[in-house]
Amino acid sequence: MKKKIFYIENYGCQMNISDSDLITSILLNNGFILSENLDQANIILLNSCSIREKAELTLKKKLEQLKFLKKNKKILIGIIGCFSTIIKNFFLQEKMVDFFVNPDSYREIPNFIYYSIKGKQYYHTPNKNETYSDISFAKTKQNNNKITTFLSITRGCNNMCTFCIVPFTRGRERSSDPYSIIKESKHLYQNGYKEITLLGQNVDSYLWKEEKESMIQNRENIVDFSKLLDLLAQEIPLMRIRFSTSNPHDMSSKVLEVISKHENICKHIHLPVQSGSNKILKLMNRKYTREKYLFLIRKIRNIIPNCSISHDIMTGFCNENEKDHQETISLMNEIKYNYGYMFSYSPRPGTYAYRKLEDNVPKHIKKRRLKEIIDLQIKHSFYRMQEHLGNVEEVLIEGESKKNKQYWYGRNTQNLIVVFPKKSLNIGDLANVEIIDTTSATLIGRICK
Ligand code: 5AD
Ligand code: SF4
């Protein structure tokens, strides 16, 4: 293999997208060449997801397709990301996949590849404290039109929700050094990025402590999420800042005050609720009640009146009956979220729910309940979109609208998609747009002079 050309395909969440940038940076720094085209590559990396059964099936299907390619061409296939450890035994037997890399071993990816080229296997014990704080990916930007990016601030999760595989695949929670986050954010701004989304399974529990008393002036020794947001908003005043995901159990008033104080912190909170039933929340080990969640929603709306709120909801969790389902529906009716992501429960190997609870809601009932909440959310989204009619809103232009090349596509501070006729602006510009029409998913506007 003379030229080592790699291609990364992403499955799953924003964290995987951010990790792919990180891996790209590591490989480019080690002399590898990136290709945006699978057919031109001789190293194919599949950045896998394990959160739901569907993600697992998609990956297996992709591997089936790659079987033919591997028969006719000398290529290496590596599975990286959340599913890498779980799927390992299955695919090692088939000799289909050459190497597997755990999310805490990405620095070692060049070694995994070199060994595979020699037909050997490389072992590495994942570094449980890894944050990749020192690796910059600001300069690895491939597409010059890309103006938004993700930056992980915590890795792993300590929450142990009973349905969730993340604590097993991504390990214990750890926070990156705030001063590296600030440095990288400034780099990203200097390299043309206009919006950054801070990522973590639970950003609100971000906590960093200086090990030794710092000798550097103006350096905080303890930084929590509110402090991090406050510092960042001041250090990169021209950059939009978003964050995801918030856990209702950990979100503090201090964080809300900081969001409200800074114009460049976007007014949107993704606040997964999972269920409106206290019985189910307890079985899920979510550590808040319906009442506490609703109290938090009121607090958000008091402190940040124009804040949009989105959710994750899971239907058909173990022991969920019709009454529990109706409680989720009534919670949705009470809140009327701007948008949300809805799933039906699938048991994940190794989790508490998989081991100790019965997956006893029949498939057809899960499907029906899921459809009910999706239909309701579409209604609520449409209702919330109407509130924007007549407003003039600031939109960051991210690209051309897919449906109509004469229109720009961007998002307002609430993370809602806005499309509008182009006129003379460019990608990366902030446009003042009057909202004149809506669907349940998109705001339609025109540029104001
Ligand atoms: N089954 C279905 N959905 C799940 N999620 C997490 N684990 C599972 C599972 N086992 C959903 C939750 C979470 C989102 C990222 O994925 O709603 O908030
Ligand atoms: Fe999974 Fe719960 Fe952690 Fe989210 S907070 S990653 S759902 S364990």
Side-chain angles (χ1 to χ4, degrees):
M1 203 176 268
K2 269 191 200 149
K3 277 190 181 167
K4 296 175 191 65
I5 306 171
F6 70 101
Y7 165 87
I8 306 190
E9 193 153 297
N10 262 315
Y11 299 86
C13 65
Q14 299 166 331
M15 189 65 91
N16 270 11
I17 299 175
S18 158
D19 279 355
S20 288
D21 284 343
L22 186 85
I23 292 156
T24 301
S25 181
I26 293 171
L27 288 175
L28 291 178
N29 288 336
N30 279 276
F32 292 77
I33 301 162
L34 174 68
S35 170
E36 308 258 322
N37 187 338
L38 188 146
D39 295 322
Q40 285 163 5
N42 46 23
I43 301 158
I44 295 169
L45 302 172
L46 303 177
N47 199 351
S48 64
C49 169
S50 57
I51 193 106
R52 286 171 292 277
E53 195 184 10
K54 200 164 164 228
E56 179 179 330
L57 298 177
T58 317
L59 181 75
K60 286 183 175 162
K61 218 157 115 194
K62 183 72 195 183
L63 282 166
E64 281 303 316
Q65 289 169 8
L66 289 178
K67 247 185 192 167
F68 296 102
L69 194 66
K70 201 164 164 99
K71 263 189 197 149
N72 301 322
K73 191 178 161 193
K74 191 156 176 29
I75 53 167
L76 292 178
I77 298 178
I79 296 189
I80 58 178
C82 290
F83 209 33
S84 56
T85 20
I86 300 163
I87 205 170
K88 196 168 172 171
N89 292 337
F90 179 70
F91 280 101
L92 269 183
Q93 284 160 11
E94 294 211 353
K95 299 214 171 14
M96 165 71 197
V97 179
D98 299 278
F99 57 92
F100 297 84
V101 191
N102 177 287
D104 290 330
S105 297
Y106 289 152
R107 280 178 207 271
E108 297 297 316
I109 281 199
N111 283 332
F112 278 96
I113 296 175
Y114 291 134
Y115 273 74
S116 296
I117 292 173
K118 290 183 195 153
K120 293 183 187 165
Q121 273 188 3
Y122 180 73
Y123 294 102
H124 179 257
T125 313
N127 174 1
K128 298 279 171 219
N129 299 320
E130 181 63 90
T131 58
Y132 303 106
S133 284
D134 56 318
I135 298 180
S136 169
F137 59 85
K139 289 214 171 79
T140 58
K141 183 160 94 153
Q142 296 301 309
N143 172 356
N144 284 330
N145 283 336
K146 216 178 141 206
I147 50 136
T148 64
T149 191
F150 301 113
L151 183 63
S152 78
I153 60 165
T154 69
R155 297 182 75 85
C157 185
N158 287 352
N159 275 351
M160 302 304 285
C161 299
T162 55
F163 53 80
C164 186
I165 202 166
V166 169
F168 302 93
T169 57
R170 287 191 167 266
R172 306 290 291 167
E173 184 182 282
R174 61 228 102 123
S175 300
S176 299
D177 178 330
Y179 296 96
S180 306
I181 297 172
I182 292 170
K183 195 169 144 204
E184 178 68 353
S185 305
K186 285 183 172 170
H187 263 144
L188 287 163
Y189 181 70
Q190 285 152 8
N191 280 277
Y193 287 94
K194 299 286 162 68
E195 183 185 292
I196 187 171
T197 302
L198 309 175
L199 291 182
Q201 308 300 337
N202 179 7
V203 285
D204 296 271
S205 64
Y206 174 91
L207 187 64
W208 179 84
K209 289 182 191 154
E210 181 93 84
E211 304 239 307
K212 286 177 261 144
E213 188 83 355
S214 174
M215 302 306 285
I216 306 171
Q217 257 193 345
N218 296 331
R219 235 178 117 111
E220 305 281 339
N221 289 328
I222 298 181
V223 178
D224 64 7
F225 186 53
S226 65
K227 188 77 212 166
L228 177 72
L229 275 180
D230 202 24
L231 286 171
L232 259 183
Q234 293 168 55
E235 296 280 349
I236 44 167
L238 298 176
M239 186 103 135
R240 269 186 173 187
I241 301 170
R242 299 188 184 278
F243 55 88
S244 186
T245 293
S246 300
N247 190 308
H249 173 63
D250 297 296
M251 183 151 229
S252 70
S253 304
K254 258 179 12 190
V255 166
L256 300 177
E257 301 288 354
V258 173
I259 300 169
S260 140
K261 184 172 108 183
H262 294 283
E263 205 172 326
N264 59 332
I265 304 183
C266 291
K267 307 297 180 262
H268 164 235
I269 296 174
H270 183 61
L271 202 63
V273 65
Q274 313 298 359
S275 170
S277 149
N278 282 335
K279 178 189 106 189
I280 297 297
L281 288 173
K282 195 151 187 232
L283 278 174
M284 290 176 166
N285 191 28
R286 287 294 287 182
K287 299 185 190 127
Y288 54 85
T289 59
R290 172 195 177 95
E291 292 72 28
K292 281 198 176 143
Y293 185 91
L294 286 168
F295 180 75
L296 178 58
I297 296 280
R298 282 195 293 275
K299 198 153 81 175
I300 293 171
R301 288 183 171 154
N302 265 333
I303 300 175
I304 320 164
N306 60 341
C307 193
S308 65
I309 303 174
S310 56
H311 67 80
D312 288 346
I313 292 178
M314 195 194 313
T315 59
F317 188 60
C318 314
N319 298 347
E320 184 191 73
N321 59 27
E322 216 44 46
K323 183 170 163 277
D324 300 314
H325 174 58
Q326 287 309 322
E327 281 174 7
T328 298
I329 298 232
S330 81
L331 178 113
M332 289 175 77
N333 278 325
E334 207 164 316
I335 295 169
K336 295 193 178 63
Y337 291 97
N338 294 78
Y339 63 93
Y341 303 97
M342 289 148 281
F343 315 98
S344 65
Y345 169 63
S346 56
R348 306 311 291 135
T351 58
Y352 178 89
Y354 179 89
R355 288 180 286 117
K356 303 274 186 199
L357 304 173
E358 197 187 339
D359 178 25
N360 53 6
V361 179
K363 252 198 180 137
H364 70 279
I365 295 185
K366 280 185 184 170
K367 208 169 153 190
R368 194 252 304 151
R369 288 183 190 160
L370 181 62
K371 183 175 179 326
E372 280 174 20
I373 60 167
I374 290 176
D375 289 348
L376 185 61
Q377 184 52 55
I378 292 173
K379 270 197 215 156
H380 290 161
S381 295
F382 188 70
Y383 167 84
R384 288 287 174 208
M385 289 303 218
Q386 303 293 301
E387 295 178 335
H388 293 258
L389 283 174
N391 288 358
V392 173
E393 302 189 343
E394 196 176 66
V395 179
L396 177 62
I397 302 177
E398 289 177 46
E400 272 175 357
S401 155
K402 280 196 188 112
K403 284 195 187 144
N404 186 340
K405 298 246 172 292
Q406 306 306 315
Y407 277 59
W408 286 127
Y409 149 99
R411 279 172 298 147
N412 64 7
T413 185
Q414 289 98 355
N415 208 30
L416 304 173
I417 292 168
V418 187
V419 297
F420 51 97
K422 273 184 171 173
K423 296 217 172 144
S424 58
L425 296 165
N426 287 310
I427 292 175
D429 287 345
L430 284 169
N432 284 321
V433 178
E434 183 190 352
I435 308 300
I436 53 174
D437 200 359
T438 88
T439 68
S440 62
T442 311
L443 297 168
I444 299 151
R446 62 178 166 226
I447 294 175
C448 288
K449 285 271 176 301

